[in-house]
Amino acid sequence: MYGKIYEKANTELIKELGQRYRDYRKRMGMTQKAVAEKSGLSIFTVSSFENGSSTGLTLFSFLRLLRAIDFLDEIEKLLPSLPESPRALYLKQAKK
């Protein structure tokens, strides 16, 4: 998924993400039904996401899916907090 990522269409990225989610779910020993019950989503939604046909999955639903397989803490990797800028660090140090 990391090689030439900007050349891929969004639909292709969604399909790869769904496949990766399926792999995580299976490794956790969970069925689609178990994920659906834990997340409050339908089995159809889980299945559609995993096979790449659900390109309209909301961020809210995606967070529910991550929570269902106990991977919500991984969301930080999408947009990690920015470090403090050198200028801000300088100004903070200058005030001392």
Side-chain angles (χ1 to χ4, degrees), residues 31-42:
T31 63
Q32 287 181 342
K33 182 179 180 183
V35 167
E37 289 172 356
K38 192 170 179 182
S39 67
L41 300 171
S42 69

Side-chain angles (χ1 to χ4, degrees), residues 2 14 18 21 31 37 52 57 65 69 72 74 82 84 94 96:
Y2 299 111
I14 290 169
Y21 183 86
T31 63
E37 289 172 356
L57 187 75
L65 289 171
I69 62 169
L72 187 60
E74 297 298 316
L82 289 171
E84 215 169 341
K96 289 183 178 181

Side-chain angles (χ1 to χ4, degrees), residues 25-89:
R25 173 186 59 77
K26 286 182 176 181
R27 186 161 294 174
M28 302 278 298
M30 296 181 75
T31 63
Q32 287 181 342
K33 182 179 180 183
V35 167
E37 289 172 356
K38 192 170 179 182
S39 67
L41 300 171
S42 69
I43 294 175
F44 177 79
T45 299
V46 176
S47 175
S48 296
F49 173 62
E50 289 185 358
N51 70 33
S53 63
S54 180
T55 58
L57 187 75
T58 65
L59 180 58
F60 187 81
S61 293
F62 182 64
L63 293 174
R64 290 173 91 169
L65 289 171
L66 289 178
R67 197 180 292 272
I69 62 169
D70 298 324
F71 272 79
L72 187 60
D73 55 329
E74 297 298 316
I75 200 72
E76 285 288 323
K77 292 179 181 175
L78 287 177
L79 287 173
S81 299
L82 289 171
E84 215 169 341
S85 72
R87 184 173 193 281
L89 290 171

